[in-house]
Amino acid sequence: MASGGLQLLGFVLAFLGWIGIISSTAMPQWKMASYAGDNIVTAQALYEGLWMTCAMQSTGQIQCKVYDSLLNLKSNLQATRALMVAAIVLGLIGIFVAVIGMKCMKCMEDDQVKKMRMAVFGGVIILIAGLAALVATSWYGNKVARDFYDPFTPVNTRFEFGSALFIGWAAASLTILGGAFLCCSCPRRETSYPPSRGYPKNAPSTGKDYV
């Protein structure tokens, strides 16, 4: 019963993390323009994401522009895109496989060992998806931090971490944790011991002596 609860907890965490990875990939706020050390008050906020750049006016109006060319993008942005898309696809496959191996499902009830192995296999796929998302977000964040502290970067072109990056980190952590919980439901081999022989009990003495 405890294993079933661990499976359910892992699946819920993995599913929430997968939804977070999708949201983070689609959001344009991967990095936002920084005005640290700048005394100029601007009337707009600039954001850059994996697919577009956006400018939000002080009135709340947002204008976005999709990147014109895929081949003209920077290599780190292309790699981050590929890793996040791969994390989404792997997460989807892992969730489908894990659903088959869940104890609360009716699939493959005849063979419980194979059923639990399917859950573990789905957990491994989900774990890889979480690691891919974690590598992508960490790589992108490291590039933003290095550009920010680079003394040759102009002040008006510096960027800070955006909200999508924090959501990506949290989603990757949930996905990895959920995949690890699913992997913990691995079936254990049962060791068979020979049945212990009972010693015969001494018959109660009747108090009579026979010659």
Side-chain angles (χ1 to χ4, degrees):
M1 191 68 179
S3 178
L6 191 64
Q7 270 189 354
L8 185 59
L9 177 62
F11 180 81
V12 171
L13 291 177
F15 185 76
L16 292 177
W18 180 67
I19 295 297
I21 291 175
I22 296 176
S23 302
S24 175
T25 305
M27 291 175 63
Q29 293 90 354
W30 275 67
K31 62 180 181 179
M32 55 183 294
S34 173
Y35 303 103
D38 193 359
N39 296 324
I40 301 176
V41 179
T42 59
Q44 64 180 4
L46 301 178
Y47 301 99
E48 286 190 13
L50 301 181
W51 313 98
M52 64 187 73
T53 59
C54 295
M56 185 175 67
Q57 307 294 332
S58 58
T59 57
Q61 183 180 5
I62 301 177
Q63 295 178 345
C64 296
K65 179 183 178 183
V66 181
Y67 295 127
D68 296 329
S69 174
L70 174 64
L71 300 178
N72 196 28
L73 296 177
K74 297 179 180 179
S75 59
N76 67 313
L77 183 58
Q78 293 182 2
T80 304
R81 269 188 180 185
L83 285 172
M84 294 300 288
V85 172
I88 293 174
V89 175
L90 288 174
L92 180 62
I93 297 173
I95 287 173
F96 278 137
V97 175
V99 165
I100 298 175
M102 296 288 291
K103 288 187 175 182
C104 55
M105 301 299 291
K106 298 293 184 181
C107 302
M108 300 176 64
E109 281 187 334
D110 299 335
D111 195 337
Q112 291 295 325
V113 175
K114 288 184 178 180
K115 185 177 178 67
M116 295 183 71
R117 286 176 180 173
M118 289 292 291
V120 174
F121 184 58
V124 171
I125 298 176
I126 292 172
L127 192 62
I128 296 174
L131 289 174
L134 184 62
V135 169
T137 50
S138 299
W139 189 5
Y140 192 93
N142 181 52
K143 182 67 168 58
V144 173
R146 284 193 290 109
D147 291 342
F148 181 85
Y149 290 111
D150 189 357
F152 297 101
T153 302
V155 176
N156 57 350
T157 59
R158 291 181 179 178
F159 287 86
E160 296 182 357
F161 298 153
S163 56
L165 203 55
F166 294 103
I167 294 176
W169 279 325
S173 301
L174 286 177
T175 307
I176 292 173
L177 191 60
F181 283 166
L182 286 171
C183 291
C184 289
S185 62
C186 180
R188 299 178 180 177
R189 294 182 179 180
E190 297 181 357
T191 306
S192 59
Y193 297 96
S196 59
R197 295 182 179 180
Y199 294 97
K201 297 181 179 179
N202 295 328
S205 177
T206 57
K208 297 181 179 180
D209 296 330
Y210 294 94
V211 180

